[in-house]
Structures are given as C-alpha cells and as structure tokens.
Amino acid sequence: MSPLVSCLDAGWRVGLAGVTDEHREGWGFHGGLGRTGLWAPSRTRAGVRAALLGRRMFATRERGLRVDARLDGVAMGGSWRRDAKNVSNARKAQNAGNVRIALKFDAPAEWGGQGLRVQVLQRGEPVPEVVAEVDFRVGGGVLRFVARVSTEPGDWVVLRITDPGREGDPRAARLPGFRSAGRAVAYLSPFFISRPR
C-alpha cells in the first residue's frame, strides 16, 4: 500500500512535501530533486511556520513552480465540510457530491502553453483512486472544474499534476488511472473531509 494512503487513511492530517538528501555543491539548484512549495503569508519564521501548520504546501521535483488550489473555497491543507450549502440532500444520503475545484498553476516561461493534467485522488488500495481528471495548458489562467468526490467524514482529496507527454514512473504504468497520466509534476496537500455541521 502507498505510504500516502496509509497515513491519510489512518487520519493523519499531513501536508505533502518534496525532499531530497542533498550532499553536493550547489545545494538546491540541481534539477530533478524533491522540493517543497509553500504559500506563506510572509518570508519570516512566523510566515513559514503558519504555512507549515496550515499544510499550505505542495511537493514537486520541478524548479520555479507556484501551485495553489481551492475546493469549494477551502485552501489546500484545509478541512471541507459537507452541508446543505454545498451538497444536495440526495447526495448527502449517498455520501458523495460535486465540489468546485479552482487550480492556479504558474511556471517559468519555458513551460508556457505546455499541456498538463490534474487528477483528483481519493482513498483506494493499493494506491489512491483517480476519481476525476482534467487536461489544461500552462498559462491559461485559473482552471475551474467540478469533480464528484466521496464526502464521507475522514476521507480526503489530493490533487496530482502530471505531464502526459513525459514517461511516468514505471511502477505507476501498471496501475489503472495512472498509466496514461505520464510523469508526476506536483502533489498538492490534501483537503480533509470533516463531519457535517
């Protein structure tokens, strides 16, 4: 089973960070290394601490990315509540509903116009299940779409950005939903489904 799935299914409210054990000169400048992007209110210790505690972060191996997302207005890393405002009574009974997702993806100029894909991931075994996916182009502004997700309290939603034009991890190539998605570009911190009010 995926360590990500194990942690999230156990109820851990973690943010997703990219890391690398780096020992070379030019630390942090080599390509292809794990990196963490933070949405901090300021470039101070307090600002970085607030971003980490709020799980306002994403994992990537690419330099210069800025990725942010909202699920029905809730920032990545936050808790989303199912209530009458965002899920109809019929859908409440099914513990599923449509949510509005807004994704902002900014990258260096050489990425301009590149075709990418955003996948909506939820609980699954042995890896997360792809419950929705949408293709988009870099530089096209904020991508807005609707996805049907499980709204069962304790569930979670993770957005995965991929490049279908590049070969993905060979382990993922064997898995339905991941096979055609190509190389992972970024994983955004989860949205956590909370109990209704």
Side-chain angles (χ1 to χ4, degrees):
M1 176 179 270
S2 159
L4 169 64
V5 173
S6 297
C7 291
L8 296 175
D9 286 354
W12 296 12
R13 293 201 166 206
V14 297
L16 300 185
V19 297
T20 297
D21 186 13
E22 174 71 73
H23 296 276
R24 298 178 288 178
E25 288 185 23
W27 178 85
F29 289 95
H30 301 285
L33 302 177
R35 304 171 187 285
T36 300
L38 292 177
W39 284 101
S42 64
R43 290 184 183 182
T44 63
R45 279 184 190 255
V48 170
R49 183 174 194 273
L52 291 171
L53 289 175
R55 297 170 297 270
R56 297 277 291 130
M57 61 213 308
F58 62 93
T60 185
R61 290 183 178 199
E62 306 295 339
R63 291 183 62 189
L65 298 188
R66 291 178 304 280
V67 186
D68 193 15
R70 305 263 169 181
L71 190 145
D72 279 341
V74 174
M76 66 179 167
S79 294
W80 179 89
R81 272 192 205 334
R82 177 183 66 163
D83 60 25
K85 185 172 74 176
N86 52 28
V87 180
S88 72
N89 288 335
R91 294 219 167 105
K92 279 184 191 180
Q94 299 168 5
N95 287 326
N98 291 334
V99 295
R100 295 177 316 273
I101 296 174
L103 173 72
K104 184 169 184 180
F105 185 96
D106 290 322
E110 62 266 20
W111 287 66
Q114 184 170 335
L116 298 179
R117 179 174 298 164
V118 57
Q119 295 184 307
V120 180
L121 309 179
Q122 285 206 281
R123 184 184 307 259
E125 286 187 28
V127 295
E129 179 184 352
V130 178
V131 297
E133 56 187 0
V134 175
D135 290 337
F136 68 98
R137 296 230 170 253
V138 177
V142 177
L143 172 67
R144 298 178 194 281
F145 64 99
V146 174
R148 185 168 175 79
V149 301
S150 165
T151 59
E152 181 68 30
D155 275 350
W156 45 267
V157 175
V158 168
L159 300 183
R160 176 180 187 249
I161 312 297
T162 70
D163 181 352
R166 292 167 67 188
E167 187 174 340
D169 184 315
R171 294 168 295 181
R174 299 187 309 261
L175 304 168
F178 292 81
R179 187 174 296 118
S180 65
R183 185 172 190 271
V185 172
Y187 284 85
L188 282 63
S189 284
F191 300 93
F192 300 96
I193 310 298
S194 296
R195 298 203 172 280
R197 294 179 187 138

